[in-house]
Amino acid sequence: MKSLFIHFFLWLNLININAQSKKVLIFSDSGSSVSDAILIIDNSPKYISDSIGLVTINNIDFDKEITIRHLNFETKRFTKWNLRDTLFLNERKYTLNEVELKSKRKKSKTLQLFPTKNISNSLPKNFGKSSSISQNVEIAVFFPNQDSTKTKIIKKILVPTNDYKVIETLQSNKRSKRKNAKYSPFKINLYTVDSVIGIPKDKKFEEYFVIKCDVDENYAVLELNEDEEFEFTKDGFFVVIKNLTIEEYEELGYYFAPGIDQIGVSKNNKFLPYFRYLYQAEDAKWKKKEYLINRKNIYNIGIEFKEIK
């Protein structure tokens, strides 16, 4: 009853809205507000709910379908959402009995896998923080399956992000810091491997996830729910990253894309960087990022997986 009263009270304060926009509350099925929910329109993130679950949506999007994504709730689509004042999300459900039953049949342990730093990480060329990837480029990091004799279930993708400095003008060589860029969101997906030529092949997920590093954390984390987890195949897989568009960053209140950490590795490193240009077709050809490979560098992206014995 209390939550219903709060809900009603909030909407008494929001009733005076103009024709240019509409205010919508994002609530859980248990009646609590949902902050940091990503609202996706035309396959792109466009809005994010504030600390009380409130979103202001422009009238140009009134007749469009909205998909709402949040790590703690089931992804949900809404069509005639503009006729409603509140959109409800269903919390992800986990059945404890099923987990206990599986653990009795097979033993498992959770591990993390990152590229291994080498002495080259101490070279002067590797000092400082890595800048953001280009706005018109999509990058991919190949994860090799170095032990295909064990079953590994991918549960999380860990992406260390950072602030960085950029040169403002070539004439003065003046540098300015992209402060708090570390906490800016970006898009991420996983791809299978073309076993013939070793490049990214098929997307694991139809839509890209939007994730960001929380304040005081070291990683932006993509946490896969039970329906999204997948087995580490013998061919390996790719983690693919790209920035939001400039318009999407402005819409969400961010100024810069995050920097993605890079480290120095040995010449025998099996984690390989690839890229492709976004202004080309969706099936644009992936290429090895030879610049990083020649420098013995790699994006310091990691995974967390469950190893089943």
Side-chain angles (χ1 to χ4, degrees), residues 191-235:
Y191 275 65
T192 60
V193 180
D194 186 318
S195 59
V196 178
I197 54 179
I199 64 173
K201 185 179 180 183
D202 298 318
K203 287 189 294 187
K204 281 283 187 179
F205 304 102
E206 181 179 352
E207 296 178 356
Y208 278 69
F209 295 89
V210 177
I211 64 172
K212 66 183 183 69
C213 180
D214 292 331
V215 176
D216 298 327
E217 296 293 336
N218 294 320
Y219 306 109
V221 180
L222 171 60
E223 185 168 2
L224 303 175
N225 62 41
E226 289 184 343
D227 295 333
E228 296 165 338
E229 292 173 359
F230 66 95
E231 184 175 342
F232 202 149
T233 64
K234 65 180 181 63
D235 292 327

Side-chain angles (χ1 to χ4, degrees), residues 3-191:
S3 64
L4 289 176
F5 174 77
I6 294 174
H7 175 80
F8 178 70
F9 178 77
L10 284 170
W11 278 105
L12 283 179
N13 289 278
L14 298 175
I15 196 167
N16 185 26
I17 57 177
N18 58 45
Q20 300 303 314
S21 62
K22 179 176 177 63
K23 296 182 183 294
V24 178
L25 279 172
I26 311 299
F27 265 63
S28 69
D29 51 7
S30 61
S32 59
S33 60
V34 179
S35 61
D36 296 325
I38 301 293
L39 279 69
I40 299 171
I41 297 177
D42 294 334
N43 295 320
S44 296
K46 193 163 186 182
Y47 305 97
I48 187 168
S49 60
D50 64 14
S51 59
I52 62 169
L54 182 65
V55 182
T56 301
I57 302 176
N58 294 331
N59 64 344
I60 59 173
D61 295 320
F62 281 5
D63 60 343
K64 297 180 180 178
E65 182 181 273
I66 285 180
T67 298
I68 303 181
R69 187 188 295 279
H70 194 286
L71 289 177
N72 297 327
F73 297 86
E74 296 176 0
T75 299
K76 197 169 182 180
R77 289 183 173 84
F78 298 88
T79 51
K80 298 181 180 180
W81 60 269
N82 57 330
L83 302 178
R84 302 160 63 178
D85 294 329
T86 307
L87 304 179
F88 289 94
L89 301 180
N90 301 319
E91 296 183 16
R92 297 192 187 279
K93 305 298 182 183
Y94 300 95
T95 306
L96 183 60
N97 290 336
E98 290 182 0
V99 175
E100 291 176 346
L101 183 61
K102 292 177 182 177
S103 65
K104 290 178 182 178
R105 291 200 303 264
K106 295 182 178 180
K107 294 182 179 180
S108 65
K109 58 181 178 180
T110 300
L111 302 169
Q112 289 186 353
L113 174 64
F114 281 83
T116 303
K117 292 181 181 179
N118 185 265
I119 190 172
S120 64
N121 194 60
S122 303
L123 297 177
K125 67 181 181 181
N126 290 323
F127 287 174
K129 295 294 185 179
S130 305
S131 61
S132 167
I133 60 176
S134 174
Q135 196 67 41
N136 66 344
V137 166
E138 189 171 20
I139 66 167
V141 174
F142 171 65
F143 276 76
N145 190 346
Q146 297 171 317
D147 185 0
S148 57
T149 63
K150 297 177 181 178
T151 300
K152 297 186 281 289
I153 305 300
I154 310 302
K155 299 178 68 67
K156 295 180 181 179
I157 310 298
L158 310 171
V159 183
T161 56
N162 55 255
D163 295 347
Y164 51 93
K165 292 182 179 180
V166 297
I167 298 176
E168 293 292 352
T169 61
L170 294 176
Q171 291 78 9
S172 65
N173 202 31
K174 182 180 178 182
R175 292 175 177 267
S176 62
K177 188 172 184 179
R178 296 297 190 238
K179 189 176 180 181
N180 292 325
K182 174 178 181 177
Y183 306 115
S184 296
F186 57 92
K187 297 179 182 181
I188 186 169
N189 208 330
L190 308 177
Y191 275 65

Side-chain angles (χ1 to χ4, degrees), residues 234-283:
K234 65 180 181 63
D235 292 327
F237 70 96
F238 284 92
V239 174
V240 175
I241 290 175
K242 61 182 176 181
N243 293 325
L244 278 65
T245 65
I246 295 174
E247 292 75 19
E248 288 169 343
Y249 278 124
E250 291 177 349
E251 187 72 35
L252 295 176
Y254 293 90
Y255 298 99
F256 313 109
I260 308 296
D261 280 5
Q262 296 177 23
I263 59 170
V265 292
S266 72
K267 64 179 181 180
N268 298 320
N269 167 64
K270 302 299 183 183
F271 295 77
L272 297 176
Y274 288 73
F275 77 100
R276 68 176 176 181
Y277 292 108
L278 290 175
Y279 57 77
Q280 297 176 350
E282 178 67 21
D283 58 351

